[in-house]
Amino acid sequence: MGTEPYEPYRPARAEAYGRVREGLRAYRLITAMWIRSTMAYRASFVMTTFGNFAGTALDFVAIMLMFSRIDTLGGYGLPEVAFLYGLSATAFGLADLALGSMDRLGRRVRDGTLDTLLVRPVPVLAQVAADRFGLRRLGRVTQGVLVLGYAVAALDVSWTPLKVLMVPLALASGAGIFCAVFVAGAAFQFVAQDASEVQNSFTYGGQTLLQYPPTVFAKDLLRGVTFVLPLAFVNWLPALYVLGRPYPLDLPSWAAFAPPLVAAGCCALSGLAWRAGLRSYRSTGS
């Protein structure tokens, strides 16, 4: 008798899990197709990947040039800033690799090519996310990992098992948060069809913001990226726990362990936003 009230919900849960499996399978197949297409021109792939690596590396070169004139930035030395940079760049690079094509949705809405995705028996989100999968974006991920490796080697930190665990936890959670921002930004393009730059201001702009210590920004901005768009959970809160520094907003110490929950919440909300945007789509000329 105790399990009877839950019986009606089991088919719905099974259907939801089935849709997720179907979407992941479709994403894997589409990305594999684009990877095969990319690797057909290996020299071009190597050059574009290196160009992606070099272009993103210039961001850190600018930081190094800055530290050639100063000793600290907002009270943080170069290894500490490199740690912040490495976490944010790697997390964003992983999200950009997986969902970087989402900003093309507005173009599809305008020219009507989104209709071709709707008639296929495959989840639309998986198709849009895997569209023109850019393996060259591995250059950004590689650059972030290298900076993070330098920072870990140069930091004067007493590493404990919990602090070591915090690094991969922050990378996974940060990538999840950025993925949620990509999806939510794409959902917004159903309404504002020419809004890819607005989306980029929160994705690429947010990643640039997180490269620097929170102490150089006003507290109103910190509140916004903590409680409104929770980008602070990508790297600031976990990184400051590792570095043994307090967060400027005097949050409790357990907030450093909240990124997985924040990432899960952001992904759930972005999923709802995507479904609402997709339902509102009425094709071109409507």
Side-chain angles (χ1 to χ4, degrees), residues 65-78:
L65 290 175
M66 188 186 308
F67 272 94
S68 68
R69 298 293 181 182
I70 60 176
D71 294 325
T72 62
L73 177 64
Y76 288 69
L78 178 58

Side-chain angles (χ1 to χ4, degrees), residues 49 63 66-67 88 106 137 175 197 210 238:
T49 302
I63 293 175
M66 188 186 308
F67 272 94
S88 66
R137 297 188 181 108
E197 292 305 319
L210 297 175

Side-chain angles (χ1 to χ4, degrees), residues 23-252:
L24 291 175
R25 180 176 180 274
Y27 179 85
R28 177 176 59 82
L29 292 174
I30 297 171
T31 55
M33 177 191 68
W34 284 108
I35 290 173
R36 288 195 299 270
S37 174
T38 299
M39 298 310 293
Y41 304 93
R42 295 179 184 272
S44 174
F45 165 70
V46 171
M47 287 187 291
T48 54
T49 302
F50 178 76
N52 189 272
F53 172 89
T56 55
L58 291 177
D59 291 340
F60 190 66
V61 170
I63 293 175
M64 294 179 66
L65 290 175
M66 188 186 308
F67 272 94
S68 68
R69 298 293 181 182
I70 60 176
D71 294 325
T72 62
L73 177 64
Y76 288 69
L78 178 58
E80 294 172 308
V81 174
F83 187 61
L84 295 174
Y85 179 100
L87 286 177
S88 66
T90 305
F92 178 77
L94 292 172
D96 187 43
L97 177 66
L99 299 179
S101 298
M102 297 295 292
D103 60 358
R104 292 193 179 95
L105 180 66
R107 191 181 314 160
R108 283 190 172 277
V109 171
R110 291 194 304 273
D111 60 24
T113 56
L114 182 63
D115 293 1
T116 61
L117 306 185
L118 294 173
V119 299
R120 296 172 183 169
V122 178
V124 178
L125 179 59
Q127 295 182 73
V128 175
D131 183 39
R132 298 186 179 277
F133 181 81
L135 194 61
R136 67 185 183 280
R137 297 188 181 108
L138 280 174
R140 179 187 293 274
V141 179
T142 303
Q143 188 261 342
V145 170
L146 290 176
V147 174
L148 182 60
Y150 155 74
V152 169
L155 282 174
D156 184 16
V157 171
S158 179
W159 290 98
T160 63
L162 202 55
K163 289 184 177 181
V164 172
L165 179 62
M166 185 65 74
V167 176
L169 187 70
L171 292 177
S173 302
I177 293 171
F178 274 125
C179 283
V181 176
F182 271 113
V183 173
F188 179 66
Q189 293 187 52
F190 281 112
V191 180
Q193 300 170 9
D194 193 16
S196 60
E197 292 305 319
V198 176
Q199 177 180 341
N200 291 341
S201 67
F202 289 103
T203 51
Y204 292 92
Q207 190 264 332
T208 302
L209 173 78
L210 297 175
Q211 294 174 3
Y212 298 95
T215 50
V216 303
F217 300 106
K219 286 197 173 182
D220 287 340
L221 177 61
L222 295 182
R223 293 187 185 98
V225 297
T226 303
F227 303 113
V228 180
L229 184 65
L231 295 178
F233 292 89
V234 171
N235 69 334
W236 279 349
L237 286 167
L240 296 188
Y241 172 82
V242 172
L243 299 176
R245 289 177 174 266
Y247 191 59
L249 297 182
D250 297 325
L251 294 179

